[in-house]
Structure formats: structure tokens, C-alpha cells
Amino acid sequence: IESSYSKFYEWCCKEKTNVEHIQKFRDNINNDVKSDKPNEEKYWADFELGLGKYTENFDKETVQNYLDCLEDAQQSIRDYLVEQENEFSVEAFTDDSFIAFTKSIWNFFDEVSDSERQEINSYLNKHQGEHINIRFVTFNYTRTLEHLLERIPNKPLHTWRYASTDYGYHFNRNILHIHGTTDNFPVLGVYDTTQITNKELVDTELFSQFLIKAQNVQALGKLWYREAEEWISNSKFICLIGLSLGETDTKWWLDIVKWLKADETRRVHIYGKRD
């Protein structure tokens, strides 16, 4: 599934509209991507920062035009990702692929350095008399992870015996989409007012509720942020996989740093691309 921002903007900019300010917005995306370091990969966080900067082209009289552009972006993202999801097939994965996928969930530290693996094993050995519960928080709007997890039998991923009792790795099948899904209010925007260039618009009715992500989630009446905060607070390990947490998700970096400082035994493992 091609859910990267670079693939999206290529698709989005091919679509034309008769609404002048929306077409101008799409052209601006295209020009910005091509003119600003064209060989450098762009991410969703770059797009969201661009939304905050693009406010400089509007004032209180034309703010509705800006909100139209934001709504169009949301709809375009939804349409594009639905198209991608429809092309995704779990059946294309072999049994060996699912075995490897399942193992990668509970054996999440397999690819870290030897010293890190030793440290994690040392920690896990101290907690052999406990079940390990795995939860998933995703910033992705698609449900591909759900489709994959549905293929995994509803039983512990891995078990061991300690003091005559069986323990295991269990995972919560209720995945938390922290910014919604393609069919449930996909949320995009900025972290706070510091990322909005035109401060004149901040107090405009509904503007902040649409553009500042935390306010948007709250206005929708969703508990996604509160749930994620609780999950982070109750965690021992946090793994970040395939995630581009940029400036527009500053909140989560701050929350994770605060969580780390509260207990020296806690660990964060960030799995990124290797050169």
C-alpha cells in the first residue's frame, strides 16, 4: 500500500477543480514540493507544517476559503487512501510471511544491537512472572494493520513457563487510530498556534478547531488523545516503527520524553530506515 506523502501529492496534483482557491492550493503544494529541495523526500509532517504556513495567504475576510482548502485536503487524503486500501489484499501474504510478522511483534528487539538486546533480555528476565500486553497506537488513517492482525489466531503470540505457571505475549486487537481513519474523521493540522503563520486567524470562529489537531479531536468528541496518553503512561517499552513524528506531532514527543524521565527502567526503541 502506497500511503506515503510523496505518492499522495503526485496523485492529488493531477486532480483538477473549477474552484479557483482550491486549485491554487493544489498548485502551491506541487510547486512547493518541486522547488524546495526537490531530491529530498517529503513527509506528512512537512505537509501539515505547510498548512500552517499557507495561512499567510488569507485574512479574516477570506478565512472560509482557507477552510475550504483544508477540507479539500482531508477529502483528497481520504479518497486516495481508500483507493490504496482497496488494492491491498491480505491473501497476497504467504503463511511464512505471517509467521515472520507475528514473531516480529513479540520478538520486537531481534534487530537491535547486541548490547541493546542484552539489556532488553535482562529486563524481561526480571519480569518472567508477568504477562506482557502489547497495544498498537497508529498515526495511519488506513486499517491495513487490522486486516493483518485478523489473520493471527486469537491466542498468546508466545508463551513461557515460570514457577509452574504459563505466561505469554498478548496483544490488544483494538488499534487506536489517534487521528482517525479514512471512514472516521481523518484529522490533519498543526500542533499549536506557533505553527500558524497568520496569527490574525487564530481567534476566528472554528479556525483553531479545524487546524490544531488536539482541538479538532476534542471538538469531534473523541477520546483518542486521552486513551493514547493513558497507554503511554502505563507502558514499560515503547516501539516506534515506520513513523515520521514531525514537528506537528510535538505533543507526543514531549509526552514520551516525560514518560521516560519518570522511570529510568523505561525504554523507547525507534526503528527507522537504514542507509
Side-chain angles (χ1 to χ4, degrees):
I1 182 169
E2 295 285 0
S3 61
S4 66
Y5 172 58
S6 59
K7 294 296 182 181
F8 163 71
Y9 83 74
E10 290 176 6
W11 176 90
C12 178
C13 292
K14 292 177 182 177
E15 301 291 318
K16 301 298 181 183
T17 176
N18 293 326
V19 182
E20 184 178 353
H21 56 274
I22 292 179
Q23 185 59 52
K24 184 177 180 181
F25 170 69
R26 293 181 184 178
D27 291 341
N28 182 272
I29 294 174
N30 190 38
N31 294 335
D32 181 64
V33 168
K34 290 183 177 180
S35 63
D36 182 22
K37 299 180 181 178
N39 295 321
E40 184 176 284
E41 185 174 357
K42 305 300 187 298
Y43 299 97
W44 286 108
D46 299 319
F47 176 59
E48 291 181 315
L49 282 174
L51 290 175
K53 187 175 187 303
Y54 197 63
T55 58
E56 65 188 7
N57 297 295
F58 302 86
D59 55 30
K60 289 187 175 182
E61 298 298 321
T62 60
V63 66
Q64 185 57 52
N65 287 350
Y66 176 83
L67 296 178
D68 290 344
C69 294
L70 184 59
E71 184 177 1
D72 178 74
Q74 288 177 311
Q75 186 60 52
S76 295
I77 290 170
R78 183 185 295 114
D79 292 344
Y80 173 74
L81 292 178
V82 165
E83 183 179 297
Q84 292 298 309
E85 281 186 286
N86 289 338
E87 295 180 5
F88 176 77
S89 174
V90 177
E91 305 304 322
F93 289 79
T94 65
D95 290 341
D96 288 343
S97 296
F98 273 102
I99 291 173
F101 172 68
T102 303
K103 183 179 179 181
S104 70
I105 296 175
W106 64 263
N107 195 22
F108 61 90
F109 49 89
D110 187 49
E111 296 185 8
V112 302
S113 67
D114 291 343
S115 61
E116 289 176 315
R117 189 183 305 110
Q118 185 178 45
E119 182 180 344
I120 294 171
N121 278 322
S122 176
Y123 174 83
L124 294 176
N125 288 336
K126 294 177 182 177
H127 297 272
Q128 293 183 66
E130 302 175 19
H131 288 290
I132 294 179
N133 298 305
I134 301 171
R135 289 174 168 174
F136 299 92
V137 177
T138 178
F139 289 71
N140 198 307
Y141 303 124
T142 70
R143 294 188 182 275
T144 52
L145 183 55
E146 281 93 333
H147 297 324
L148 289 169
L149 295 180
E150 285 170 1
R151 285 280 301 273
I152 299 177
N154 191 13
K155 62 180 183 179
L157 300 175
H158 176 66
T159 60
W160 64 91
R161 195 164 184 79
Y162 181 76
S164 302
T165 303
D166 291 327
Y167 297 93
Y169 283 82
H170 304 263
F171 71 88
N172 190 324
R173 293 174 182 269
N174 296 317
I175 298 172
L176 177 57
H177 289 263
I178 203 167
H179 288 139
T181 61
T182 52
D183 58 357
N184 189 13
F185 309 108
V187 172
L188 72 156
V190 299
Y191 165 59
D192 63 8
T193 57
T194 64
Q195 296 176 346
I196 299 174
T197 300
N198 188 352
K199 300 297 190 292
E200 178 188 1
L201 303 181
V202 172
D203 296 326
T204 304
E205 185 179 7
L206 299 181
F207 177 82
S208 294
Q209 286 187 11
F210 275 97
L211 188 56
I212 297 177
K213 288 190 282 190
Q215 292 189 33
N216 196 334
V217 171
Q218 184 177 17
L220 291 171
K222 300 298 181 181
L223 301 177
W224 300 328
Y225 273 34
R226 185 184 303 176
E227 289 180 48
E229 289 165 353
E230 291 177 356
W231 287 14
I232 290 172
S233 177
N234 294 326
S235 296
K236 293 295 185 182
F237 280 89
I238 292 178
C239 297
L240 304 179
I241 304 173
L243 182 63
S244 173
L245 269 182
E247 293 179 53
T248 56
D249 287 310
T250 296
K251 168 184 168 50
W252 302 108
W253 283 120
L254 294 176
D255 282 7
I256 290 173
V257 169
K258 181 180 178 180
W259 169 84
L260 274 172
K261 288 182 176 180
D263 188 336
E264 63 180 12
T265 67
R266 293 172 176 173
R267 294 290 183 272
V268 173
H269 294 274
I270 302 176
Y271 296 83
K273 294 180 180 180
R274 294 182 176 179
D275 297 330

